Amino acid sequence: MRTIIHLLQKEFIQIFRNRFMLPIIFVMPIVQMVVLVFAATLEMKNIEMIVVDKDLSEVSRRMTAKFGGSPFFNVKSFTFSIEEAEDFLRANEADIVLHIPRGFEKDLMRENQAKVQLLIDAVNATTAGLSNAYASNVLRDFNEQIIIENFGPVSQGMERVNIRYSFWYNPDLNYKIYMLPGILVILVTLIGMMLTALNLVREKELGTAEQINVTPIRKYQFIIGKLLPFWVIALFELSFGLLVGKILFHLPMEGSIALLFLFASLYLLVALSIGLFLSVISNSQIQVMFLMFFFFITFVLMAGIFTPAESMPDWAIRVNTINPLAYFIRVIRMILLKGSGFADISGEFFALGLYATVMMSLATWRYRKAA
Amino acid sequence: MNKETAVIRVRDLVKKFGKFTANDKLCFDVYEGEIFGFLGANGAGKTTALRILCGLSLPTSGEISVAGLDLYSNRERIKKRIGYMSQKFSLYEDLKVYENIRLYAGIYGLSRKEIKQRTDELLETLELEAVRNKRIAELPLGWRQKLAFSVAIIHRPRIVFLDEPTGGVDPITRRQFWDMIYQASRDGITVFVTTHYMDEAEYCDRVCIMEAGRIDAIGTPTELMEEYKAENMDEVFIRIAR
């Protein structure tokens, strides 16, 4: 026990004596949260639209006005030529083209149906999908309006279906409070994993690791001495991030913060042990950085921070069972936004408990005092 | 020196890295309290053998006992009884002098009182009290080497292993460093030292000359000089190398 205290004392002195450490701990999270939360949003506004109105009728004009009035669309210009509109798309100056063919109003009145065409720039499939959904909504609304005007209120005899949306847990569909917990997870993981991974390898490079290896220190003491300081720092980072989120973005905290920290403690054991394991098997800081980034980026992209993890293919969902970030992202959102309790996250909790045990044993086992 | 008790006993030590044999059937004893020099050119296998004896590297085969304990079954217990100072600089540069001493003394299980007492003693002997609160990075290389040696024996081990301890140090500091080695030896610590400076070989009680993974000669410097009809150890080494 006294050995561990001596090791911890040494690590903390070294950490706080390092001039880069305080900026990393305090400035990085604020910058990342402020910049990323605003930048990494899926909310779409100002979809640039080109209108090709070949009908020039009253109905077509009203349809165009309907798009213009939507907060999502910005009617950029009008033209009569499809080719010209396509040029806008090609030049990246427009996102979507609304093409109303000649005879649109006539068809609508005579045959009760008419067609419009939407051309969407789908280089980014996600934004294209969203544009399409928004546009379809506008068209559906418009359609309903026309029906009511022409056939009178449908009310007589026919029940009118009125869909009213109510978004639970995030009533305003505020992307920021959805992204914020995710970004916090990335931040805490990056700092914790990175500092742990670099620390041991640095000692190997300097030669001090060897000096430690000729002492009668026990492997578990060494591993605890290397994990605990960064575990404390990462947990502190999480509190700091939550505070910043609360102040800057009014991040809701529906569930128990104690539960969140309990889960985070477990999660960080996993993340940090992975970092430690990578540094145990590496010989230089460059090696460990490459390994770290490989795992970190894979984990982040699969974790469901930016894209819903549930819509990934089955094999990817299975891979995600070893992605600690996926667990924490899910749980932090559940606790903060939904107010989930222990019963709701117990599955994730025990899975990470098992994971932490495995990773720590692996790191301890693979750490060799003799080569 | 007590010729009766061998604190290190090595029989047929072999260490292979793949197909390369770094140590080829080494046999030697190191006696209690002596200064034992391990000599040889770079790459002769000195450091490999020393690292095995310290438990930093695993032997391929051979019978080895260190400080009275079998190396295979007691590697961690042996570590309590030995000290080690490597070619690479082994103190933490970003820690202060007293913090380094406290750390290593603490790891070896010394009590708070012992740590304080030995720190004071050590700094007094080295006349380094003035730099107690300085970081290692601020000290000149010679001071660091001396400090590293003192820290390596802070727990009063039975044997101290020194791997080319005087590399890159000026002649005066080297002389002072050897004074420290003598002092340790007088205090009853067996010294196992590797070097490629032949003049240092003459400071040792016994030397062992290695070449290409094998031991070519072993004995006191005087014996070897007689055997090879040489004026000094430098000549002995050159005759053997031929």
Side-chain angles (χ1 to χ4, degrees), chain A residues 104-123:
Chain A
F104 175 74
E105 190 183 47
K106 212 168 66 196
D107 286 351
L108 191 67
M109 294 308 155
R110 272 198 205 145
E111 294 167 32
N112 279 337
Q113 59 173 344
K115 285 180 177 157
V116 289
Q117 184 184 25
L118 288 173
L119 302 170
I120 302 171
D121 177 355
V123 168

Side-chain angles (χ1 to χ4, degrees), chain A residues 2 17 203 210-211 369, chain B residues 51 76 84 92 94 99:
Chain A
R2 283 196 47 238
R17 206 163 272 174
E203 288 214 27
E210 195 169 86
Q211 192 69 39
K369 290 182 76 178
Chain B
R51 288 172 57 86
E76 296 304 310
Y84 168 78
Y92 288 92
D94 48 352
E99 289 166 342

Side-chain angles (χ1 to χ4, degrees), chain A residues 180-201:
Chain A
L180 198 117
I183 286 168
L184 207 54
V185 171
I186 298 187
L187 190 79
V188 169
T189 313
L190 185 65
I191 288 187
M193 245 173 125
M194 184 90 92
L195 293 179
T196 317
L198 287 179
N199 182 285
L200 172 58
V201 168

Side-chain angles (χ1 to χ4, degrees), chain A residues 132-161:
Chain A
N132 184 32
Y134 289 147
S136 308
N137 251 335
V138 173
L139 289 174
R140 195 182 314 119
D141 251 22
F142 182 73
N143 201 17
E144 215 167 75
Q145 222 174 316
I146 296 284
I147 294 170
I148 294 167
E149 278 168 22
N150 291 310
F151 305 97
V154 208
S155 60
Q156 283 131 355
M158 282 158 87
E159 200 72 45
R160 218 182 128 222
V161 179

